[in-house]
Amino acid sequence: MSFLFGKKKTPAELLRENKRMLDKSIREIERERQGLQAQEKKLIVEIKKSAKQGQMGAVKVMAKDLIRTRHQIEKFYKLKSQLQGVALRIQTLKSTQAMGEAMKGVTKAMGQMNRQMNLPSLQRIMQEFERQNERMELTSEVMGDAIDDALEGDEEEEETEELVNQVLDEIGIDVNQELVNAPSSAVAAPAAKTKVAQAEVTGNEDSGIDEELQARLDNLRRM
């Protein structure tokens, strides 16, 4: 009917139709083989019965029939195997065609996705991300340095004093006793000079730290 109306079958429909025909033929061959095997069993029973009765002529005739039946069963086995091989090839072709259709759809979808991608826009997004990430890292670094500078002064002074006392204890010098025995004028003058120097160094260090923090903040504002 499809030929009369001019409708052309697709390759998938042809493969499916031929597969059904092969499966039907295999089932028919299997039924014939099973019928021959039943006939073989009956012939064997008849041959034994005729042999017991001494009918040797009938036994020879039925023996020839049994041999032909067994040969026919072997032919049906071979034919079934061949048809199954053909059916397997058809199934392989069908699977290959399905894979080709799937690859075609995937390729089409990938092409559409690639056409929708805007590479310049993606590059701008990545550049902006990198810039913001760098700004965040710089901000964190500035805040961390400022907190460290604010907290580390007292701790360093205490650690320094403890270390000096430990060293003096190891060499057997009592700081308080040495200060009592030392001349007051000799001690006062270096102490004053030391305080002035420390003040100057501290001022310079604070100034350097402030300038460094200010420079980093200025960099953040320009970003």
Side-chain angles (χ1 to χ4, degrees):
M1 295 296 292
S2 60
F3 177 77
L4 294 177
F5 289 102
K7 183 179 178 181
K8 187 177 180 180
K9 294 182 179 181
T10 62
E13 292 176 346
L14 291 174
L15 289 174
R16 190 162 47 248
E17 183 178 349
N18 291 327
K19 182 69 167 49
R20 284 197 300 266
M21 291 174 61
L22 286 171
D23 292 340
K24 182 179 179 181
S25 299
I26 290 172
R27 288 193 298 269
E28 291 177 354
I29 290 173
E30 185 65 19
R31 283 196 299 268
E32 292 292 334
R33 185 185 61 80
Q34 291 176 356
L36 289 174
Q37 286 179 338
Q39 184 179 352
E40 178 186 8
K41 293 178 181 179
K42 290 180 181 180
L43 285 172
I44 292 173
V45 173
E46 292 293 333
I47 289 173
K48 290 180 180 179
K49 183 179 179 181
S50 298
K52 289 179 182 179
Q53 294 175 357
Q55 300 176 0
M56 300 308 296
V59 171
K60 290 181 180 181
V61 173
M62 287 187 291
K64 290 182 180 179
D65 193 10
L66 178 61
I67 292 173
R68 286 194 294 267
T69 301
R70 288 178 175 176
H71 288 169
Q72 193 65 29
I73 291 173
E74 291 180 1
K75 290 181 180 179
F76 278 127
Y77 271 122
K78 292 179 181 179
L79 184 58
K80 179 184 176 182
S81 177
Q82 292 173 354
L83 290 178
Q84 285 177 339
V86 175
L88 182 60
R89 290 186 179 183
I90 291 177
Q91 183 63 36
T92 303
L93 287 174
K94 186 177 178 181
S95 301
T96 303
Q97 184 188 14
M99 184 180 66
E101 292 295 331
M103 293 299 295
K104 180 180 178 181
V106 170
T107 303
K108 184 177 180 181
M110 290 176 65
Q112 292 177 353
M113 292 295 294
N114 288 329
R115 286 192 295 271
Q116 290 177 0
M117 287 184 180
N118 189 350
L119 292 180
S121 176
L122 289 176
Q123 290 178 349
R124 288 194 298 271
I125 292 173
M126 294 305 298
Q127 291 175 356
E128 179 64 20
F129 172 78
E130 185 177 357
R131 189 172 69 86
Q132 294 297 334
N133 187 47
E134 183 179 356
R135 182 177 182 181
M136 182 185 67
E137 291 180 356
L138 184 58
T139 303
S140 300
E141 183 180 355
V142 171
M143 293 180 64
D145 292 343
I147 293 173
D148 292 340
D149 293 339
L151 297 178
E152 71 182 357
D154 296 337
E155 294 179 356
E156 288 184 355
E157 185 176 355
E158 292 177 358
E159 292 178 358
T160 303
E161 185 175 356
E162 291 178 359
L163 181 60
V164 170
N165 292 331
Q166 181 180 357
V167 172
L168 294 178
D169 290 338
E170 290 178 357
I171 62 177
I173 297 177
D174 189 355
V175 178
N176 296 325
Q177 186 64 32
E178 292 293 332
L179 292 176
V180 170
N181 296 331
S184 59
S185 60
V187 173
K193 293 181 180 180
T194 302
K195 289 183 180 180
V196 173
Q198 288 180 349
E200 292 178 355
V201 171
T202 303
N204 292 332
E205 289 181 352
D206 292 340
S207 177
I209 293 173
D210 292 340
E211 291 178 358
E212 183 179 357
L213 290 176
Q214 186 63 38
R216 293 185 179 182
L217 292 175
D218 292 340
N219 290 331
L220 287 175
R221 292 192 186 97
R222 288 196 294 271
M223 292 181 68

